[in-house]
Amino acid sequence: AGRQQGGRQAEEVDRLGVKVLHALGHGKHLLELVGQLVIDLGSVVRAPRRAPWRDISGHLYRMGATAMPITAIVGFLIGVVLAYLMSLQLRQFGAESFIVNILGISLIRELGPMLAAILVAGRSGSAITAQIGVMRVTEELDAMRVMGISHGQRLVLPRVIALAIAMPLVILWTDAM
C-alpha cells in the first residue's frame, strides 16, 4: 500500500512538473511576442512612412466602429438597471439625490471601461483568432515567411495600434450611453 501511494505521489509531481514547464513555455512565447512588438513599434517610430497604415485603418474600423452599437446598448441597459436598483435601495434612506453621483462614479470609472473592454476583447479576439486560423489553413502564414514578411509587423502590430486607438474612444462612447 505504501508503494502504491508513493507511486501516485510521484505521478502527481511529474504531472505538476509538466504543467509548470508548459506554463514556462507559454511565458517564453509571450515574452517573445511582446519583445517583437516593441521592436516593430520602434521601426514604425523611426520610419512612419513604412508603417501598415491601411491595415491599421481597416482594423480600427472593424474593432472600433463596429463595436459601437453593442457597447452602446450594453452601457445604456446597465446604466438603467443600476439606476433603478440603486433608487430602490437609496429611497429607504432618503438619499435618492445621490443616484447621479453613484452612477457617475460606478459607470464612468469602473463598469464602462470594463464592459467595453470585455465586449471588444470578445468580439475582436474571436475575429482575430478566426482570421489567423484561416490564414494558417490556407498556408498564407508560410507564404509570408517565405517572402520574408514579418508576421509581427504584418499581423500583430496593426491590430495592437488599432486597439490602442479604438479602446479609449469606445470607452468614452460606452460611458456616454
Side-chain angles (χ1 to χ4, degrees):
R3 253 197 248 166
Q4 284 181 340
Q5 189 176 11
R8 266 190 247 136
Q9 287 177 347
E11 286 179 23
E12 290 176 15
V13 170
D14 286 344
R15 264 190 258 132
L16 177 64
V18 168
K19 288 181 181 181
V20 167
L21 290 176
H22 192 67
L24 288 174
H26 280 298
K28 177 186 168 227
H29 290 301
L30 178 65
L31 186 62
E32 288 173 359
L33 178 71
V34 172
Q36 187 62 48
L37 179 64
V38 169
I39 291 169
D40 291 340
L41 280 171
S43 70
V44 166
V45 169
R46 275 187 267 118
R49 288 181 171 231
R50 298 187 69 208
W53 296 113
R54 282 190 180 166
D55 290 342
I56 292 170
S57 67
H59 292 302
L60 186 59
Y61 172 76
R62 273 187 240 112
M63 294 176 190
T66 58
M68 290 175 74
I70 188 71
T71 57
I73 290 170
V74 169
F76 175 75
L77 292 176
I78 293 291
V80 168
V81 168
L82 204 58
Y84 175 71
L85 292 175
M86 281 192 295
S87 70
L88 292 177
Q89 293 299 316
L90 293 175
R91 186 176 302 150
Q92 294 174 358
F93 304 107
E96 289 176 311
S97 62
F98 294 112
I99 291 174
V100 174
N101 295 343
I102 294 173
L103 272 178
I105 291 170
S106 63
L107 282 176
I108 292 175
R109 284 190 188 167
E110 302 294 333
L111 282 176
M114 186 182 68
L115 289 171
I118 289 171
L119 291 170
V120 170
R123 290 181 76 254
S124 300
S126 60
I128 290 169
T129 302
Q131 215 172 23
I132 292 176
V134 168
M135 290 177 84
R136 180 176 291 282
V137 169
T138 58
E139 297 180 357
E140 289 178 60
L141 297 176
D142 296 333
M144 287 174 63
R145 184 175 292 120
V146 168
M147 290 188 291
I149 298 172
S150 166
H151 289 163
Q153 199 154 21
R154 198 72 191 162
L155 298 175
V156 178
L157 183 69
R159 288 167 173 86
V160 168
I161 291 175
L163 279 175
I165 295 169
M167 279 309 299
L169 300 173
V170 171
I171 289 170
L172 285 173
W173 174 255
T174 305
D175 287 345
M177 289 300 120

